[in-house]
Amino acid sequence: MKRLISLAFVLFGLSFLPLDAEEVGGDSLYWLDAEQKMERGDYEEAAKGYSKLIERSDSLFRTCTVDRVEDMRKKYSIDELEWQANRQQTRLWELIFGVLLFLLSLLLGGLIYLGRERRKLIKSRNQYQEAKTLAEESIRNKSLFLSNMSHEIRTPLNAVAGFSELLTTQELDEATRAQCNDVIHLNSNLLINLIGDVVDISCLDITNMKFDVGSHEVVALCRNVVRMLGNIKQTSAVIDFKTEVPMLTIETDLCRLQQILINLLVNATKFTKEGSITLALKVNECGWAEFSVMDTGCGIPVEKQKAIFGRFEKLHEGVQGTGLGLSICKLIINRLGGDIWVDQAYTGGARLVFTHPLTQEGRVVQ
């Protein structure tokens, strides 16, 4: 039993020792010596031998344990340094990624801001260009208006002043006096019409013109307009009216529609000294009323067919007028829901066509 206990202590101590051949051999000798002493019965000396073995094993155990702990501490220090290095590297990559993401966001935000400012600049530039174009157009229209009006008003005023002064002559016979009255009356009406055109274009321009829309029969209106102009025309051309409908009732402003018809017919008489001028009325395939004024005059050049509906546009400078008549017609027709154009297929003179809805349902005409 004693041997087993001693052997256990020794083996326990030796199990932690490094496997050095010399140290193992020395311990074996101590062990054999103690065994021999035990066999001889020299227990006290054997116990001392076992004690030495135990002390030696304890010393070696402590040394080995300290070495192993130190090795473990060194290994832990290395692992900790590697972990810290990896952590620092991870933080460095995170920092680089964060900086790149920030720079990318800053670049993207800058591009978005620059694009927005560029769009604002383009919009401002376009608005400036539009305002400049409108201002130039306004100046041009003003110059044309003053030029046309100064010429158009001066002629009838000179006639009124000259023939009024002539009427004061005592030696003037009744026939000449009547002719002077007719000239004065004609030029007075011309002045009134010029002023009316200016007022109309101003009212339509600021949308203050009021429309009195109602149901009206327009076939009779066309006949009356043709009959009236036939009595006062200053041309040898024949003015007539053609239609295939006996009656046609539409929702319109009767006075404004009559104004359009008179303007178109009077405009045709200025350029048709002989031949014919025809006002026609029909219901087209779209179910709208279609009016047309066709003449056998000099016609309208293709390059001027769209421009003639502009303000102060005149086909011939030598013909009397303000250049506002067709512009007024277009504005009124558009306000009534229709449209006007020049028939390019007609080559026997000029043919102006405008459409008018039969009803104003769903539309507000003011």
Side-chain angles (χ1 to χ4, degrees):
M1 185 67 180
K2 291 181 179 180
R3 287 183 178 182
L4 292 174
I5 294 173
S6 299
L7 181 61
F9 277 109
V10 173
L11 291 175
F12 178 75
L14 292 175
S15 63
F16 292 95
L17 299 178
L19 298 177
D20 186 86
E22 294 181 358
E23 291 179 353
V24 172
D27 292 338
S28 298
L29 292 176
Y30 284 122
W31 174 263
L32 292 174
D33 183 59
E35 285 290 321
Q36 291 174 0
K37 289 178 180 179
M38 285 289 293
E39 290 177 356
R40 291 195 301 268
D42 191 1
Y43 299 114
E44 184 176 355
E45 291 297 326
K48 290 180 180 179
Y50 285 130
S51 297
K52 289 181 180 179
L53 283 172
I54 292 171
E55 289 177 358
R56 181 175 176 79
S57 65
D58 288 341
S59 176
L60 292 174
F61 176 74
R62 283 194 297 270
T63 302
C64 181
T65 303
V66 171
D67 291 341
R68 288 190 176 184
V69 170
E70 186 66 25
D71 290 341
M72 292 177 65
R73 184 178 294 134
K74 289 180 179 179
K75 184 177 180 181
Y76 173 75
S77 299
I78 293 173
D79 292 341
E80 185 178 8
L81 289 174
E82 290 180 354
W83 178 79
Q84 289 180 354
N86 291 333
R87 183 176 177 82
Q88 289 178 354
Q89 187 176 10
T90 302
R91 287 181 177 178
L92 179 62
W93 281 112
E94 290 177 352
L95 179 62
I96 293 173
F97 179 75
V99 171
L100 290 176
L101 183 62
F102 173 75
L103 293 176
L104 182 62
S105 301
L106 188 63
L107 179 61
L108 183 61
L111 291 176
I112 294 174
Y113 175 77
L114 290 176
R116 188 179 302 168
E117 292 299 317
R118 182 174 177 272
R119 287 192 295 270
K120 288 182 180 179
L121 179 62
I122 293 174
K123 184 178 179 180
S124 300
R125 187 177 299 168
N126 291 336
Q127 290 176 346
Y128 166 76
Q129 191 63 36
E130 289 177 1
K132 181 181 178 182
T133 302
L134 289 175
E136 292 175 350
E137 183 69 16
S138 177
I139 294 173
R140 189 180 75 87
N141 288 339
K142 181 179 178 181
S143 300
L144 286 173
F145 175 76
L146 293 176
S147 175
N148 289 337
M149 291 303 293
S150 62
H151 172 72
E152 299 297 336
I153 292 177
R154 186 183 296 113
T155 300
L157 278 179
N158 289 337
V160 170
F163 284 95
S164 297
E165 185 177 355
L166 186 60
L167 284 176
T168 60
T169 305
Q170 297 294 333
E171 296 83 7
L172 201 63
D173 56 28
E174 291 300 325
T176 305
R177 193 179 300 274
Q179 291 178 356
C180 290
N181 284 328
D182 291 340
V183 172
I184 292 173
H185 181 71
L186 178 63
N187 284 275
S188 298
N189 288 334
L190 179 59
L191 282 173
I192 293 173
N193 291 334
L194 290 175
I195 294 173
D197 285 347
V198 174
V199 172
D200 283 347
I201 199 71
S202 300
C203 291
L204 287 169
D205 204 26
I206 60 177
T207 66
N208 285 332
M209 177 176 283
K210 301 298 180 181
F211 284 75
D212 184 14
V213 177
S215 296
H216 300 282
E217 205 284 308
V218 294
V219 174
L221 171 67
C222 292
R223 296 187 189 278
N224 292 333
V225 169
V226 169
R227 186 181 304 111
M228 177 182 65
L229 289 179
N231 293 329
I232 62 173
K233 66 179 182 178
Q234 295 182 347
T235 177
S236 59
V238 177
I239 303 177
D240 62 353
F241 170 61
K242 292 182 179 181
T243 183
E244 296 180 355
V245 292
M247 292 184 61
L248 181 61
T249 301
I250 65 175
E251 292 182 1
T252 186
D253 185 322
L254 191 63
C255 293
R256 292 299 170 189
L257 181 58
Q258 177 177 300
Q259 182 181 2
I260 295 171
L261 295 174
I262 291 175
N263 278 347
L264 294 179
L265 289 170
V266 169
N267 192 66
T269 61
K270 294 179 181 178
F271 302 99
T272 310
K273 300 305 179 183
E274 56 185 14
S276 64
I277 300 172
T278 304
L279 171 63
L281 171 63
K282 69 176 183 178
V283 177
N284 63 16
E285 59 276 6
C286 297
W288 286 39
E290 182 176 297
F291 299 82
S292 64
V293 175
M294 180 176 63
D295 63 52
T296 58
C298 60
I300 304 172
V302 177
E303 65 273 10
K304 290 189 176 182
Q305 288 183 357
K306 292 183 179 180
I308 61 172
F309 296 105
R311 299 178 189 177
F312 312 112
E313 293 292 339
K314 299 176 66 175
L315 187 60
H316 298 291
E317 292 297 329
V319 178
Q320 199 171 31
T322 60
L324 295 174
L326 292 179
S327 176
I328 293 171
C329 290
K330 182 173 178 60
L331 288 171
I332 294 175
I333 292 169
N334 292 154
R335 291 278 294 277
L336 289 172
D339 196 11
I340 185 171
W341 66 91
V342 177
D343 183 4
Q344 297 183 358
Y346 179 73
T347 58
R351 183 173 182 264
L352 276 72
V353 184
F354 73 92
T355 55
H356 192 297
L358 300 183
T359 65
Q360 298 293 334
E361 184 177 359
R363 298 187 69 255
V364 178
V365 183
Q366 297 180 344

